[in-house]
Amino acid sequence: MSGLDRVVKPKTKRSKRFQEHREPKLNENIKNAMLIKGGNANNTVTQALKDIYAIKKPYAVLYKKKNMTRPFEDQTSLEFFAKKSDCSLFIFGSHNKKRPNDLIFGRMYDYHVLDMIELGVEKYVSLKEIKNCKCPEGTKPLLIFAGDAFEMSEDYRRLKSLFIDFFRGPTVSGVRLAGLEHVLHFTAVDGKVFMRSYKVLMKKSGCRTPRIELEEMGPSFDFVVRRTHLASDDLFKLSLKQPKALKAKKKKNISHDAFGTKFGRIHMQKQDLSKLQTRKMKGLKKRPSDTMEAEDEPITSTKKVKQN
């Protein structure tokens, strides 16, 4: 049994609470991210990690020391750090002659690497270089994806899912209009991915709904996709599995149309239409002679008899 899989029985109440916090739940905790520098990270990669950490706070951990590891060759170090810091998302930044300004986005499943996509930074503008107002810490961003590549290519489809996982923030039941302050825009064109960050400005429009303007806030990235390490379809499907308690129970005899209108089917006993009250008119009023004729008619049966 490895050190990562060894179960330690808690000795104090504090350690017991710590282990209970990490146990599986119906509603899981917010996904935290760890940002790690490689052994040869330059100033561009270091500043890029700091800017992404500023967007992701407070659901992120920034490692300041350099770590000599290569995620595509050996993933044990990342899995160790993920279990230590309780993070299911990570970014590993490095720089070398073959792959300059390198950022590896990835996610974990059960503290094991699920997906990894390596992105090269071709152009980068930091938060400090753009002299505009910034969004407060912990703001939930709006995510916008443009480009056919996000729907046609499997690598870009997983990259889109990875970006959503990384930047979506906490799950909320509702957002007020003033809380929509941050927009992250991703565009996939000609084998490149452009990431832009905007602050939402609400101007007067003369009516109740404000006029919306976007002001670039930073950081700004021009990515190029390099290497990928994607999970198999079976493992990816297993990672998306939800407990039965969270699935909505199907209600019988209820349906919805294309416009969301709710229809219900009810079951009633067979009605006797002869006793149905119709409009009171002299022409529809039954005469005593009609009643007598109905009583004198012989009763016939329509039951079919099987013949040999």
Side-chain angles (χ1 to χ4, degrees):
M1 184 179 290
S2 63
L4 291 176
D5 299 329
R6 184 167 54 92
V7 178
V8 180
K9 188 176 181 181
K11 297 181 180 180
T12 61
K13 291 184 177 180
R14 182 181 178 184
S15 60
K16 185 178 180 180
R17 290 195 302 267
F18 180 79
Q19 286 195 1
E20 290 176 352
H21 178 73
R22 293 195 174 189
E23 287 180 353
K25 308 177 184 64
L26 285 178
N27 296 309
E28 290 290 348
N29 303 326
I30 301 170
K31 291 184 177 181
N32 294 325
M34 57 182 182
L35 294 88
I36 304 172
K37 290 191 296 184
N40 49 357
N42 59 358
N43 292 332
T44 301
V45 171
T46 302
Q47 188 60 41
L49 292 176
K50 288 181 180 180
D51 287 349
I52 297 176
Y53 172 70
I55 295 175
K56 184 65 179 173
K57 282 194 306 185
Y59 310 109
V61 178
L62 179 63
Y63 286 87
K64 297 181 180 180
K65 292 184 179 180
K66 295 183 178 182
N67 297 273
M68 296 297 297
T69 182
R70 296 177 180 177
F72 278 89
E73 298 175 9
D74 185 14
Q75 302 161 6
T76 55
S77 297
L78 291 176
E79 293 171 357
F80 172 78
F81 287 128
K83 192 158 189 177
K84 182 180 179 182
S85 56
D86 193 20
C87 294
S88 56
L89 303 166
F90 69 89
I91 296 181
F92 182 83
S94 62
H95 173 78
N96 53 47
K97 187 176 180 180
K98 188 177 181 181
R99 296 182 180 88
N101 302 329
D102 203 55
L103 294 179
I104 300 175
F105 285 77
R107 55 186 166 188
M108 302 281 184
Y109 173 65
D110 195 19
Y111 298 113
H112 295 285
V113 174
L114 181 70
D115 290 332
M116 282 193 304
I117 298 179
E118 187 179 51
L119 302 176
V121 180
E122 292 190 340
K123 186 179 178 182
Y124 164 62
V125 181
S126 66
L127 276 167
K128 296 179 181 179
E129 295 180 35
I130 301 177
K131 306 296 182 181
N132 288 330
C133 294
K134 313 300 180 184
C135 292
E137 179 183 322
T139 303
K140 185 177 175 67
L142 295 168
L143 304 180
I144 302 175
F145 293 88
D148 295 335
F150 283 126
E151 303 298 332
M152 299 175 64
S153 173
E154 181 62 25
D155 291 348
Y156 282 85
R157 195 180 296 115
R158 289 285 183 92
L159 180 61
K160 176 182 176 181
S161 174
L162 186 56
F163 279 147
I164 293 174
D165 253 3
F166 199 92
F167 293 107
R168 65 179 299 178
T171 303
V172 294
S173 58
V175 181
R176 62 191 182 97
L177 184 61
L180 304 176
E181 300 181 66
H182 190 199
V183 173
L184 287 176
H185 192 280
F186 301 90
T187 307
V189 180
D190 299 331
K192 295 182 180 180
V193 179
F194 302 95
M195 174 182 166
R196 299 293 183 267
S197 178
Y198 300 98
K199 180 177 174 59
V200 178
L201 302 178
M202 298 184 184
K203 303 292 185 70
K204 293 182 179 180
S205 61
C207 59
R208 188 173 183 181
T209 306
R211 180 170 57 89
I212 302 299
E213 290 185 3
L214 298 180
E215 182 181 59
E216 190 167 1
M217 181 184 70
S220 171
F221 293 96
D222 290 359
F223 292 123
V224 59
V225 180
R226 290 175 179 166
R227 293 180 293 177
T228 60
H229 172 82
L230 304 179
S232 62
D233 293 338
D234 295 336
L235 181 59
F236 188 73
K237 186 177 180 181
L238 180 63
S239 67
L240 299 177
K241 190 175 181 180
Q242 292 184 346
K244 292 183 179 180
L246 289 178
K247 294 181 180 179
K249 294 183 179 179
K250 187 178 180 181
K251 296 182 179 179
K252 295 182 179 179
N253 303 321
I254 292 178
S255 60
H256 297 80
D257 63 0
F259 302 99
T261 307
K262 190 175 182 180
F263 295 93
R265 179 185 295 178
I266 58 175
H267 298 274
M268 299 177 60
Q269 295 180 353
K270 190 174 180 180
Q271 291 180 318
D272 186 3
L273 301 180
S274 62
K275 297 181 181 180
L276 185 67
Q277 177 63 50
T278 58
R279 188 175 180 184
K280 295 181 179 180
M281 293 177 59
K282 289 184 178 180
L284 298 177
K285 190 175 181 180
K286 290 184 178 181
R287 294 174 296 177
S289 59
D290 296 338
T291 307
M292 294 294 293
E293 290 177 1
E295 292 178 354
D296 295 338
E297 289 181 357
I299 300 174
T300 59
S301 175
T302 58
K303 183 179 180 180
K304 293 183 179 180
V305 180
K306 185 177 180 181
Q307 298 179 355
N308 296 327

